[in-house]
Amino acid sequence: MVGPRRHAREIALQILIQMDVSPELDAKTGIRLYFDHLAADARSDDDETSPSAPPAPFDRKMVDSLVEGVATHRAGLDEIVQGLSRNWRLERMALVERNVIRLALYELKFGADVPTNVALDEAIELTKRFGTSEGAAFVNGLLDRAVTELNLRR
């Protein structure tokens, strides 16, 4: 079973991907659309309802914080990614990998409660689940470079 924080990251990633392919969506609208239409089986960890086979719980506040944070800092995050990625333009990166990197960089730069190794491990797991094994190696390499060059260790 996936823990509430990992599940929150998975949901945030799905919303961020939707926002990436639909640039007219802002964070609040992306979040609302996800929970209104795509998350029929989603259950927040503070939900009181308990169906016989409940879906994995998640931290709703974390979903909102991640999506809104990445959206707010997206231009700066993209600038960092572009500077670190010497051989790939942002537009050429796969959709999943690009958004996993944004999410992880946001957590590394602004998530004071997220240890570096957790942010990196979670990014790799998200990429393996939603992207490709080759993508996981790319994400790992780029984020490792970010941690080293930007001194993001905690």
Side-chain angles (χ1 to χ4, degrees):
M1 178 150 153
V2 173
R5 292 179 62 86
R6 176 166 296 167
H7 195 196
R9 285 182 182 94
E10 291 175 351
I11 293 168
L13 176 62
Q14 292 173 60
I15 295 167
L16 291 169
I17 289 170
Q18 185 58 46
M19 290 169 59
D20 201 2
V21 297
S22 302
E24 73 280 359
L25 287 180
D26 62 20
K28 293 216 181 290
T29 304
I31 292 166
R32 183 181 50 75
L33 287 172
Y34 178 86
F35 287 107
D36 285 353
H37 301 288
L38 300 175
D41 294 332
R43 179 176 69 84
S44 174
D45 61 353
D46 54 347
D47 270 351
E48 305 264 335
T49 59
S50 180
S52 59
F58 64 94
D59 183 337
R60 172 63 191 262
K61 289 180 181 110
M62 183 177 177
V63 171
D64 294 353
S65 174
L66 290 173
V67 172
E68 290 170 7
V70 171
T72 298
H73 297 282
R74 183 172 158 175
L77 296 170
D78 286 355
E79 213 173 282
I80 292 169
V81 173
Q82 201 58 65
L84 293 168
S85 175
R86 297 179 176 104
N87 299 318
W88 289 92
R89 288 189 326 271
L90 196 65
E91 314 79 57
R92 288 192 58 216
M93 292 178 193
L95 189 62
V96 169
E97 286 78 357
R98 180 172 60 228
N99 283 285
V100 167
I101 292 166
R102 286 173 176 153
L103 183 60
L105 278 176
Y106 173 76
E107 285 197 288
L108 287 166
K109 285 189 60 70
F110 302 103
D113 65 330
V114 181
T116 302
N117 64 326
V118 171
L120 296 176
D121 290 346
E122 290 293 316
I124 293 163
E125 290 304 315
L126 283 171
T127 307
K128 285 179 182 175
R129 172 139 192 236
F130 295 102
T132 65
S133 58
E134 296 85 14
F138 174 75
V139 167
N140 185 41
L142 197 136
L143 290 175
D144 188 52
R145 184 178 303 140
V147 167
T148 302
E149 291 183 16
L150 303 174
N151 195 26
L152 298 174
R153 291 209 190 281
R154 287 192 200 98

